[in-house]
Amino acid sequence: MSPRTTRPAKIPRPPRRTSSHERTNRTLWERDARAYERRNAETLERGDPMGWGMWHLPERKLRILGDFRGKDVLELGCGAARWSVALAQRGAHVVGLDFSAARLEQARAEMRAGKVDFPLVEASAESVPLPSARFDIVFCDWGAVTFTDPYRTVPEVARLLRPGGLFAFSNSSPFRTLCEDRKRDRLGPRLRYDYFDLHRVEYGDEVNFQLPYGRWIRLFRDHSLEVEDLLEVQPPANARTTYLSAASQAWARRWPIEVIWRVRKSSSTPGRTRANPRV
Ligand SMILES: C[S@@+](CC[C@H](N)C(=O)[O-])C[C@H]1O[C@@H](n2cnc3c(N)ncnc32)[C@H](O)[C@@H]1O
């Protein structure tokens, strides 16, 4: 099977108009795909490819995904797909999804180098052209969840997961989003923004999304997803990263800069719908 091809969804859905943040972020990733890889190669290629977050903390220690052998796994915003390649080599049935053609080109190179072949889908995580209940695990490591509206992505993940399936992702902590000088890319010890306003976060040529913790949890529950764990990452003493300045690394030793959510789709309850999903 060609890497780009996947089985079509059983019920074709009408095409959705791309949102402004998808356009902004896609332009950025198409432009910066190579620079991102160059800048962060030292972190991304260090040790086991299955490493979480800015410090590349090994999955074999954190055990976020649990047993993935023989399972259907979707990586949302796979980039160069190092995680997916490693999962496929270790017996998972993987699909990688990314909305950037340049990133998927890098994924194809990693697949060739890793001698594995699995479907790659060029699409946005907010509207995934794959059938419902297709996956046991949907995950990403600072992938599409950082760049997509959770009010679109979380329902989509809930649709894609089988009952009892796992949703796991790492992203920024709300602390970081609130303490960041967004223009100068610096972190400080004071809250600069209103907590209750957290949602769309603008960085000039990039749009991220973040929610207050309570709203994440309510959104998960509204889609029959129960929180199993929330790991607030404190880097080990010897940890290093290419993603942060020395000052930001010092900040991250005092406050959580990134988190890893582990959320399970209920094996029985159907999803509930709220009249106003933001409240
Ligand atoms: C920081 S990279 C993470 C990928 C990989 N874990 C890594 O570290 O290289 C974020 C990835 O998410 C992808 N992405 C961002 N928004 C997306 C969206 N709406 N749909 C699909 N992929 C998206 C980007 O193209 C990029 O490859």
Side-chain angles (χ1 to χ4, degrees), residues 22 25 29 36-37 44 75-83 97-100 103 123-126 140-144 147-148 243:
E22 283 171 317
N25 288 333
W29 279 104
Y36 171 84
E37 285 284 313
L44 291 165
E75 184 173 5
L76 273 189
C78 61
R82 287 184 184 78
W83 267 91
L97 175 141
D98 205 288
F99 69 171
S100 157
R103 294 295 273 153
S124 173
E126 293 186 357
C140 62
D141 179 39
W142 279 90
F147 303 91
T148 53
Y243 287 93

Side-chain angles (χ1 to χ4, degrees), residues 15-27 99 124-127 147-150 152-153 200 207 209:
R16 188 180 62 86
R17 283 185 58 194
T18 314
S19 57
S20 70
H21 59 268
E22 283 171 317
R23 284 194 296 278
T24 304
N25 288 333
R26 189 159 179 274
T27 303
F99 69 171
S124 173
E126 293 186 357
S127 178
F147 303 91
T148 53
D149 188 338
R152 294 184 182 188
T153 316
R200 185 183 168 104
V207 182
F209 286 86

